[in-house]
Amino acid sequence: MLKELFVKLGIFLILLIILDKGIGYFIEKIYFSQDHGYYYRTTYVFEKATPDIIILGASKASHHYVSKMITDSLKHSCFNAGEDGYFILYQEASLRCMLKRKYIPKLLLLDLNDDEFEKNTYKTEDRLSILFPYYQRHPEIRDIVELKSPFEKYKLMSTLYSFNTVLLPALSGSIDLNNRKESEKKYAGYVPLTEKWNGTIKTIESHGQLLDSVRIKAFEEIIKLTRENNINLVVIVSPAYKVYKGGYNPTTETLQRISEKNQIPFWNYINDTTYLNNRNYFKDVRHMNDDGAQIFTANVITRIKALKAFQYVASKPALQDIK
Amino acid sequence: MDRIEILKTLNTVFTDALDSDEDVILTEGTTAADVNGWDSLTHIQLVVAIEKKFKIRFTSKEIQTWKNVGELITSIEGKIK
Amino acid sequence: MIFNSIAFIIFFVIVASLNYILPAALRWIWILAASIFFYMYVAPLYILVPIFIIAVTYFGGIQIEKAASASKRRIFYLTCIILNVGTLVFFKYTNFFTNMLVDFANYIRQNLLHVEASVHNIFLISIFAPLGISYITFQAIGYLIEIKRGNQLAEKNIGYFATYLLYFPKVIAGPVERAHHFLPQFTLQKKLDFAGVSAGLKQILWGLFKKLVIADRLSIYISTVFDNTAMHSGYTLALCAIFYVFQMYADFSGYTDMALGFSKLLGLDLMPNFNRPLAAKSVTEFWRKWHISLSTWFGDYFYNPIAIAKRDWGQWAVIYASFITFIVLGFWHGANWTFIVFGFLQGAILTIEFLTKKIRKNLRKKIPGAVNNTLGVIFTFCYFAFSLIFFRANSVTAALDIIKGICHFKGSLFIPEQYMVLYPLFGIGIMLFVEWMENRSHSAWGYFSHQNIIVRYSAYLAVSILILLLGVFDGGQFIYFQF
């Protein structure tokens, strides 16, 4: 009985492996032939983008920084690489891939959430599957993916598993039906939101929240990498429509402490009444709409101009000028 | 009344009580699974109809232990003698 | 440990390999050891609860069997039943009942005495219900009843008996196994053969497909909508109510398939729990095909005894027994009024179907069979979907809000990303097609048991590839959406 079982299981497994690699090959092709859409942003940032100024972050980044405004007023190209729903480990991975291909931005704006480090916000391991398609191509991010579980290394030997879920979105990212490619190009990564929020302000109780040391370590790693490569880093917590009870927020306090220690500029907008008093600037509790984003970006630009480090950068020619 | 007669009578009782589309044909080996419409809901009605027809009264234990029509007939046989 | 986790797979490979090597007579010891480990994996101390139930039921069963007088037998029997039911009620329903008393006291204070509603529940217990407690106690109770009725001999080997109640493939989500089906398998010592192992592997594969590709996919969409019902349109809520039937079925039957499959790999058969219920043409038929092990349990130990005792009431006996049975069956699912309403709705429709049997039969003669069958299947599906709204909601008020929302035909369908709806629809399509095929050919496992080896292997491979490509393997799939 054992012999028959192993022979048949063996045949099944061999066929499965052949199909896995065969079908996987085509899906991989489709995935990396995308030229617009949600997943393309990741490929673009990991493998292609070379702007002078890059914005890394999650949805708050993608909806809050009007890249065109930054390019126009600072005379340096800018790309907004914010990816909805993906947090600091994703940004760490982005930075590693950028450095691996020798792309050194002149200025890196890292937008973090006001609850970035809180364990309750999301499960760290859960947000890593977006990196699966890049696991084989980018050895530099493998240890981040492996944080997910000790078995991930073996599971990712399957090409189909590496491209789990992404087939349909990848297809729509390679076939441009609604001319999305053009409009995405125009916005340089910025994703404007139009609705206006009509809810009340949210009061957050952050006392007793546990912080995730894995994510704090990722933040320190990002600082270390930018320092080693002479990248000017600014850490920003952009506005949100909420107030923290007693002004206590463990994430921003941690960011403040680590940034100060490393002499990194840290701009915290979380208690800024310019935004808190203007519900019209928001689309929901966490995100601003286009109106808010314009005001906010203008303010960020003014502050960038005032940065000593940036005045030095600005004196050098922009990347495109050299090309 | 012998077993064959009981079976015949039962057949008419079943056809009336189950009110099913097809004719019911019972044998001693027939079980609930073989008869369309004989389920736990109709079982009780069947029992009541049989009790009326033969003017007998089953115990709860009897009702729950029949495995096929044959056993049911044995129960009836024991009561009408 | 859930079945679709790496930890379980490692555990199972070890258990199954050693089980295969061991002489058949010793296997139960190894399986019992594995079951105890499985039970203690998360919360070790909780093993004391099933140990208590096993001890009570094992010794109780023997005492009932050899009791000299009927009254003595009755005393042993009732004591054992009370201890079992008491354990279940204590762990699962204490908070529900004490909260009800407290709410009642506060209601009286406020509305009759006009004082502040200040009674607090000091009896709240903050413990989890032990793993599988509802299943374990129900199997124990069924065993005791059968011994009392004289249909079952009391098991003399406490090891066999403990394995019966603790057997790890069925401890989380059933089936509610019967002693007369399970226990003899230890003495029969069926040989583990290729056919059994191969059938087990096929069943696991199909179960994984239903669980990962359909149920877990749907759950992402459904929980996003149902966690924020106020923000969604009637169309979206209606779609979710329909989807929820598929989620529930794919999840539960998929998990059961895995349980039965793993069990086959150990050489033990568990009873089937589903028989293509979505093809049922009436709710009455549906309950004969859905969670069969539980509905037959309730049939044998609740419905039949009640209906038989009251049979002189005529039709009322059936109606009375249906309501009682299904309200208790609903409540068995959880300590919440929502489950009681769920059970009540089943009782109500069974009564209606029972009373309209003649009318429907006459109507059937007038319309073609195919139309009639289709209408029956659709009605059954919709009614079950409707009752599941209560099953899914956190409170009766929340369920009523969803129903109100559905009646409001306005707004648009919420589709964050097309694939989030298309993937599960694709999976549902495959599942329904396979079940339709099985229904037509009256054979289980559709293409998995096709005579042609190429068709068979293609089926295994296609399902495996779909699982890898479209399955949900972790919490990494989420709907990026916030209010």
Side-chain angles (χ1 to χ4, degrees), chain C residues 171-188:
Chain C
V171 87
I172 294 180
V176 185
E177 191 61 47
R178 298 302 180 84
H180 69 82
H181 176 245
F182 192 81
L183 283 170
Q185 295 186 53
F186 290 121
T187 32
L188 287 173

Side-chain angles (χ1 to χ4, degrees), chain C residues 270-346:
Chain C
L270 293 175
M271 67 183 288
N273 223 358
F274 294 89
N275 181 19
R276 298 187 283 272
L278 298 182
K281 295 184 280 293
S282 67
V283 180
T284 315
E285 188 192 347
F286 180 88
W287 277 101
R288 253 178 269 135
K289 297 170 158 226
W290 174 275
H291 205 175
I292 299 166
S293 67
L294 184 72
S295 53
T296 51
W297 192 100
F298 271 98
D300 289 351
Y301 308 130
F302 247 87
Y303 177 87
N304 281 340
I306 295 173
I308 288 167
K310 305 283 180 227
R311 66 182 182 277
D312 297 332
W313 297 3
Q315 292 191 327
W316 288 104
V318 173
I319 297 168
Y320 174 74
S322 297
F323 269 107
I324 302 244
T325 305
F326 272 96
I327 287 170
V328 177
L329 183 143
F331 198 45
W332 177 85
H333 287 91
N336 195 325
W337 280 100
T338 50
F339 295 110
I340 294 177
V341 175
F342 169 78
F344 179 86
L345 288 172
Q346 309 305 328

Side-chain angles (χ1 to χ4, degrees), chain B residues 19-21 39-42 44-45 47-48 51 57-58 60-61 63-65, chain C residues 149 151 284 288 300 303-305 307-308 311-312 318 322 354 357-358 361 364:
Chain B
D19 204 22
S20 90
D21 294 340
D39 56 43
S40 50
L41 289 172
T42 49
I44 310 306
Q45 292 180 296
V47 170
V48 174
E51 285 181 339
R57 182 91 180 156
F58 298 115
S60 310
K61 206 178 158 180
I63 297 170
Q64 285 170 61
T65 43
Chain C
R149 287 183 184 171
N151 297 334
T284 315
R288 253 178 269 135
D300 289 351
Y303 177 87
N304 281 340
I308 288 167
R311 66 182 182 277
D312 297 332
V318 173
S322 297
F354 173 71
K357 215 175 193 172
K358 275 220 169 83
K361 197 188 143 192
R364 256 207 306 278

